[in-house]
Amino acid sequence: MKKSISLLLLCLFFTKTWSQSLDFAVATKKEFAPSASFQKTYDLGKKKNFQLGWGIRANGYFSGEKEYLTAPALLSSGKQSLAAFFTEYNPAKIDTINFSKSSLVSVNALIILQYSFKKSAIGFNIDAVGFTVGGAQSGVFRAAESPSLNKTTQMASPTPINVLLISDSDRGSLNSELYFKQTLKNQNALKFGLSFQFMEYTTKQLLTYENDRFRHKSLMPFVAYTINLRKK
């Protein structure tokens, strides 16, 4: 694994062609999730069709009433990392907290994978690490296994640190996009696809199973406008 990462970094260091862009996106369904990002991608391969890159993305997430579920993978599925992705939830360990609204803003480092054709491309990007800010709020906690805590009002704030750890092992609020991009006559581009977002709150006190983290997931269609800044 370390050798693969080192080889990849060498490829990026010696590649001679790259491009920079600004992306402005809006994802929406029953919620509103705007984002803005700076992206830099490097061309790889003989035909320069494959791009690998990095960026910085600011995400907003705003909604009305939402239900947040127990977040840690060891509780929700009993597994961690990639294994959690293929394991069903354990209902006995899933508690919920309902908020009347959600309002979070995150800033994360971004990883980009893309394959380009003549005037179009398909790609995937995902937040890797960063931070989230937002106001504290109260929510109604529901836990079938804890009568003393069930239906109590709990205070919570957005989880401050975001880390990509694969599936439900992730921490904090993260955004990922699967997209198709079409280059326009002015050399800028339109992108559209699906945005899959994790939003997470941490309660002020530990609740059942010594847990204080609760997550809401949302899959939304999105559209973006890309401004190409520079290409070498």
Side-chain angles (χ1 to χ4, degrees):
M1 184 65 177
K2 290 183 179 179
K3 289 183 178 179
S4 299
I5 294 173
S6 299
L7 181 60
L8 181 58
L9 291 174
L10 282 173
C11 288
L12 293 181
F13 182 79
F14 287 108
T15 188
K16 296 180 180 180
T17 58
W18 49 265
S19 61
Q20 295 177 346
S21 64
L22 292 176
D23 256 33
F24 299 93
V26 173
T28 184
K29 193 166 55 175
K30 292 182 179 180
E31 53 261 271
F32 178 64
S35 66
S37 63
F38 167 81
Q39 302 184 14
K40 185 170 185 177
T41 56
Y42 301 84
D43 296 328
L44 301 176
K46 287 185 178 181
K47 296 183 178 181
K48 309 299 183 184
N49 292 119
F50 182 67
Q51 286 83 44
L52 179 65
W54 61 272
I56 300 293
R57 177 159 57 196
N59 304 288
Y61 179 80
F62 310 98
S63 75
E65 183 177 355
K66 293 293 179 185
E67 182 180 72
Y68 285 68
L69 279 64
T70 298
L74 278 176
L75 290 175
S76 62
S77 62
K79 304 288 184 180
Q80 291 193 90
S81 193
L82 190 61
F85 184 79
F86 299 100
T87 305
E88 292 185 359
Y89 277 179
N90 177 8
K93 294 290 182 73
I94 300 295
D95 298 326
T96 65
I97 186 166
N98 282 69
F99 297 118
S100 61
K101 63 179 181 179
S102 296
S103 181
L104 309 94
V105 175
S106 63
V107 178
N108 295 314
L110 180 66
I111 300 169
I112 305 153
L113 299 171
Q114 183 175 278
Y115 188 86
S116 295
F117 305 95
K118 189 174 181 180
K119 291 289 184 179
S120 61
I122 55 174
F124 173 77
N125 61 53
I126 190 166
D127 292 344
V129 63
F131 64 90
T132 299
V133 296
Q137 63 175 313
S138 61
V140 178
F141 179 65
R142 289 183 172 85
E145 299 299 319
S146 179
S148 63
L149 287 171
N150 189 42
K151 296 184 180 180
T152 58
T153 298
Q154 300 291 334
M155 291 298 299
S157 300
T159 301
I161 302 300
N162 312 321
V163 184
L164 177 68
L165 296 170
I166 303 178
S167 187
D168 281 357
S169 295
D170 294 346
R171 297 183 68 94
S173 299
L174 301 165
N175 182 14
S176 61
E177 295 174 345
L178 180 65
Y179 62 84
F180 174 83
K181 180 168 74 172
Q182 180 64 50
T183 302
L184 305 174
K185 289 183 179 180
N186 62 4
Q187 298 308 305
N188 293 330
L190 280 177
K191 290 168 63 174
F192 57 90
L194 293 173
S195 172
F196 185 45
Q197 302 199 22
F198 282 17
M199 284 66 63
E200 187 178 294
Y201 276 83
T202 298
T203 54
K204 189 174 181 179
Q205 66 172 342
L206 290 174
L207 301 173
T208 52
Y209 309 112
E210 299 296 300
N211 175 51
D212 60 358
R213 294 170 46 226
F214 296 85
R215 176 184 295 133
H216 176 71
K217 301 178 184 179
S218 184
L219 180 66
M220 296 174 280
F222 85 93
V223 62
Y225 187 72
T226 299
I227 299 174
N228 288 310
L229 300 176
R230 186 180 176 188
K231 188 174 179 68
K232 181 178 178 182

